[in-house]
Every structure is written in C-alpha cells, then in structure tokens.
Amino acid sequence: MKTSILTSALCWLIFQSAHSQTAIPIPDTLSGNSIALTMHQDSVQFFPGQLTQTLAFNQYAYLGPTLILNNGQNVSITVNNQIGDTTNVHWHGLHVSPTNDGGPHIMIMNGMSWNPQFTVLDKASTYWYHPHFHGKTAEHAIKGAAGIIIVRDNDEAQLNLPRTYGVDDFPIIVQSAQLDSNNQFMPFGMQDSIVFVNGVRANYGYSAYLNVPAQVVRLRLLNAAGERTFNFGFTGDMPFKIIGSDGGLLNAPVNATRLRVSPGERYEILLDLSSMNGQNIYLMSYGSELPMGVQGGPTMPMPPGNPPMDSPLNGVDYNILQLTVGSPTSNPVTSIPSTLVTVTPIPEAQSNITRLIEMTAVNMMAMDGPFFFNQQLFDMERIDYYIPIDNTEIWELTNNTMVAHPFHIHDVQFYVLDRDGNLPPVHERGRKDVVLVMPQETVRFITKFETFTDTVVPYPFHCHILMHEDDGMMGQFLVVPSGFTGIDDNFVLTQSITVFPNPTSSFLQFELPENELVSYRITDMSGKVVQKQDNFSGNTIHVSQLSQGIYHVWFRAGGKFYSSKFQKQ
Ligand code: C2O
Ligand code: CU
Ligand code: CU
C-alpha cells in the first residue's frame, strides 16, 4: 500500500507547492591524462522534509562530472572510495582490460583508491561510469553514483556536428526511482515513480528544463535507470535524427519520432530547432506505446503472492524535459550531414561458434526474478566461457521469461544480426553493448574478442536491470591467449564441480555425471598446463608432485566441461 500513500502525498504536493521548474545542470568536464574521482556520501533535498541520502562523485551531491576522453590517449584514473562501504567503478562500454574494467572482481574498500590506467581504444560516442559491486550495484548506482563519458575521435571531428559541450551538445541522463516514506531511495522496488533528468526531478509538480539555441542541437541520451525503459519522443511528434548508438556513430542519420532506450543504452540524436526560437518542446516518454512485458509499458497483472509492479509511470506518457529554445549561437550548425562514418558489421561467416544463452525464471510466471542465464545464477568462482583471443562469435539470446531484459556484455561492442530472424531496425545496426531482448524473443549478435587476455580476471555479461543483475542474472568469461591449453575451444559451458579433499597434499577425487572416459588438465594461475591425462577411467588424480599453490583442474567427459579450483599443500 506504499504506492497509495506515496501517490496521495504526491497529489498533496502538487496542490500545495507552486510548480517548481529547475534548469538541469550540465556536469563539469574532466579530461587529460590523469583524472581523479572521489565517490562520497551526500544528501539532496529532493522532497520537502527529510533529505535524501545520495552517492556522488567529486563536487556533486548527485551524479558526477563528465569525463572527456580522446581516442588514442592514455589515461590514469584514481577512484577514491569515501562512501563507507566497499564499491567499485566500471567504464561501461569502453574496451579495456579486465583488471581496468571495474567489473565485480575489482573491489575498492572504503577509504582506499583504485588506479586503472589504459589507452582509449574506443570510437567517438557516449559511454558512462557507475559502480558494479556485486549485490550492491542497484543500491550504489541508484543513489546517484554515475556519470557520462564522452569519447572523441578524428572521424567524428571531421563531421559538421554540434560538439560544443553544454552549448549545442548536451548529456541527458534519465533515471527513475522509488523513494520510501522517509524520502530514501529504494533500490529494489518496481514502483519507481519519480523521474530525474541530470539529477533534477521531472514530474509530480516538478519540471526540468534546458535552454537550447535555435539551431541543430545534439542530445546524448543515457538511460541510467535501474529498470525502466523510456520510449523517447518530442511533443507534436517532432522528427529527430538518430546519429549514434552505444559504441559509435551510425552510417547515416536515421529519421525517427520515437526511440526506445532500455537501461544502460545510449543514443545520440540531433534536433533541428532552427525555426523554433521562442518556443518550447518537451522530451517525453511515450510509455503507452511500449508493449506489456517491457518495464515501462502497461502494468502486467501479477499472479497472487507476487509483489506489485504497478508504477504510475507504467503505460503512460509523461514529460521528461522541457527544451526552451532561445537565440542561436554565433556560429551555429544549421544542417545535418547525410552520411556519418563507415560502420562495418562483422560478416556472419566469420564466426566460428554460436553461444546459446537462455533467459529463464524459476517459473514462467515469475516477473520479479530471480532470473537465470542457462538455468544458473552468477557465481564469482565459475567461468562460464573461455574465449580464445580474436575469436569471432555469435551470441544467441533467447528470452523465455515474461519480462524484457537489456542484455549487456563487457569488453566488446557487438552488431545485432537479427531479432527473431528479422533484421533489427536501422538504428540498431551500429555498434552496441546493450540490447533489449523482448519476452519470447531470440536476438543474435556478432562480436570479436580482441586485444586483452587474462586467465584469471573475467569480464561479466548481465542483464542491465540492476536488480536482476544483483540477483544473479549475470555470467562471466575469460578471454584467453592462443595456445592456452587448459581448455578446449569447442565447449559451450563449463560447470563447476567439487573436488576433494581440498586443500589436498596427495590426491584429488571427483565425481562426474557422465560415466565415460575422462580427460583432464591442471593449470596454474597463469593458465599454464602443469599436468594432464587423456582418456582414463576412474575418479582419482594424483597431485603429490605439484608444488604448493592454487590450481585449476579441468575435466572433459561426455562432451561437457567441468572445472574446479583447488589448493595444493
Ligand atoms: Cu553498465 Cu556491467 O554494466
Ligand atoms: Cu558495462
Ligand atoms: Cu533482466
């Protein structure tokens, strides 16, 4: 019954408080070779009454500065954790090594710093950063610990596009959240009703605006919500052009009046406001046009015993941001190029493996999770895939649940091949790192795993609905060097098994479901094979000759792969 209390409190607010209009802040930028971020606790007066506890970076009380990076540059980022809890920061969409990526295996203790250093290898686009500490990603990110990353490159610089930050090129961070009766963020609710743009409240008697010049302007749209999909459009169905997706510019601008953006996704759009000086238009979410099953579309009837998912934002259209159009700048962009960059999707024939990922729930009707990939929850100790470096792969995602899931993978940008066998819409044919998979839909993408190998620290892939991710809708893969012989290239899934005793000084015993001949490899922590045997029967391996340390043992039996870590004493 929280909703009705909240809703009536909100109605009261609408009538009591004068309509409050706030200009959205455009975060300051940080650039150069050395960037310092401090994540800290803060608070914001989002509602009358109690302050809302937040997390933010540097001088901000909510969200963080925009990082501007140039393709080819080196950057060293110091992340200092002052939030009173363990956390980390992930550079969403950037192609960096697993130890610099800030996935779940990187942990920054309270009061400590983490210093990733990398070369920017990415194409010009809009990326973002946010915490990724397993089990607390939703809590930390929804409290405000997130920011935009803009990457620039030469191809983009040669185009006549708006790129003066805060003047004709704007970061637009859209979020929705649920607050409890003490005005505190609730990370796991599905009744999120408060809309934020760049940290400014945008509904229930509040509105957010942005002054824009009467010329071509660029909006970098980021959906940083925990769960909600926005169906962006402008009042009067004003047409706009989509110029970029998650990981780069498109071949050519795509005409649109609507743009569905699920959690984690980014799109860049251009709006021609040349003839609109003195007028206002609204960026809206047209939730009434989203299908049921997408969080943001009409509320699904919940089976008895399940928590409600009845956010007042579901299935309705609402304002997000008023664009207040004023005088043009002295040197405006007045036309939109007809072509952008050359996007070269990877031909399907180059793939040498298709990995099948099925999304499931405990039962078909479960809408609030937990949700699984291939019947398994995330396990920090289990590597789901060993991917040889430079492998080109097709990932086939099938959603056998009632809700849509935005699938995200670290390390790479991918190209969507098809949705249920049909070509994706034109704006989804560029570089992407998140794809929304609808209920009962199968989406295939192709990608290549390049540059970075690591036989110990994996990259994750997960649903970007943060509560699904925290609940375990996540897996992980290692990109391994060629010649890494601890594994076979052709297996689909490695399952973990138990070996005993562990630690051991002389032998290991194991039990495999298949009663067949077994091959095994034992690798040290660098991935080097230190002991192996093919096609033997039995269930005991003698390891007394290994020196002390941590090892991995890999079994292949009946065409399946199993692995376990063990300690040799
Ligand atoms: Cu935006 Cu793994 O995350
Ligand atoms: Cu990511
Ligand atoms: Cu999900």
Side-chain angles (χ1 to χ4, degrees), residues 90-93 101 130 132 408-411 433 462 464:
H90 163 57
W91 321 108
H92 179 130
D101 176 62
H130 62 78
H132 213 300
H408 171 52
I409 180 170
H410 289 217
D411 183 33
D433 56 55
H462 57 88
H464 220 288

Side-chain angles (χ1 to χ4, degrees), residues 141-431:
I142 283 170
K143 280 184 170 173
I148 293 255
I149 302 172
I150 294 175
V151 173
R152 303 194 183 284
D153 70 10
N154 291 337
D155 290 347
E156 193 263 357
Q158 277 160 27
L159 294 165
N160 186 29
L161 293 173
R163 67 170 63 79
T164 311
Y165 182 79
V167 174
D168 60 7
D169 179 353
F170 304 96
I172 307 291
I173 306 169
V174 187
Q175 294 167 290
S176 62
Q178 180 179 1
L179 281 83
D180 66 16
S181 52
N182 296 318
N183 295 344
Q184 303 311 311
F185 283 111
M186 296 174 69
F188 296 106
M190 287 192 289
Q191 295 173 292
D192 57 316
S193 59
I194 315 297
V195 177
F196 297 93
V197 196
N198 292 13
V200 167
R201 290 199 45 198
N203 61 348
Y204 293 116
Y206 291 77
S207 62
Y209 72 93
L210 174 66
N211 290 323
V212 291
Q215 61 200 56
V216 177
V217 300
R218 179 181 194 164
L219 303 183
R220 300 171 182 265
L221 300 169
L222 160 65
N223 181 345
E227 60 196 271
R228 179 160 304 274
T229 289
F230 301 103
N231 189 29
F232 292 120
F234 294 90
T235 38
D237 289 340
M238 200 182 98
F240 56 91
K241 305 262 188 185
I242 307 169
I243 60 164
S245 56
D246 302 330
L249 292 168
L250 301 172
N251 276 319
V254 175
N255 291 316
T257 54
R258 293 288 185 273
L259 178 55
R260 187 185 72 198
V261 185
S262 68
E265 282 187 296
R266 291 87 63 210
Y267 281 100
E268 295 183 14
I269 64 171
L270 296 182
L271 275 173
D272 187 353
L273 304 173
S274 303
S275 64
M276 297 192 65
N277 196 350
Q279 299 177 43
N280 296 331
I281 51 165
Y282 285 92
L283 172 67
M284 307 266 302
S285 179
Y286 293 89
S288 67
E289 298 166 10
L290 290 173
M292 198 177 272
V294 175
Q295 183 79 349
T299 293
M300 273 192 287
M302 293 298 285
N306 284 270
M309 293 175 70
D310 54 345
S311 163
L313 299 177
N314 287 353
V316 302
D317 303 338
Y318 49 92
N319 286 344
I320 293 176
L321 178 66
Q322 177 184 305
L323 299 178
T324 310
V325 187
S327 303
T329 61
S330 55
N331 200 3
V333 174
T334 52
S335 63
I336 294 177
S338 56
T339 62
L340 297 165
V341 297
T342 309
V343 177
T344 36
I346 306 168
E348 199 174 326
Q350 284 182 16
S351 145
N352 55 32
I353 188 170
T354 294
R355 301 199 191 268
L356 305 174
I357 295 186
E358 188 194 14
M359 303 169 175
T360 56
V362 183
N363 65 65
M364 259 305 284
M365 290 309 288
M367 287 169 215
D368 59 331
F371 296 103
F372 305 92
F373 289 138
N374 293 334
Q375 327 296 335
Q376 288 181 302
L377 288 178
F378 182 55
D379 179 349
M380 295 266 281
E381 296 296 313
R382 186 190 71 235
I383 300 298
D384 297 291
Y385 303 116
Y386 290 82
I387 297 176
I389 182 71
D390 293 327
N391 226 31
T392 299
E393 307 198 343
I394 292 172
W395 287 37
E396 183 173 322
L397 317 168
T398 298
N399 183 351
N400 282 325
T401 76
M402 302 284 282
V403 296
H405 302 280
F407 183 92
H408 171 52
I409 180 170
H410 289 217
D411 183 33
V412 294
Q413 293 289 325
F414 56 74
Y415 298 95
V416 180
L417 289 170
D418 41 37
R419 289 182 169 277
D420 279 339
N422 303 312
L423 271 180
V426 189
H427 68 275
E428 281 190 336
R429 296 183 201 168
R431 294 160 65 83

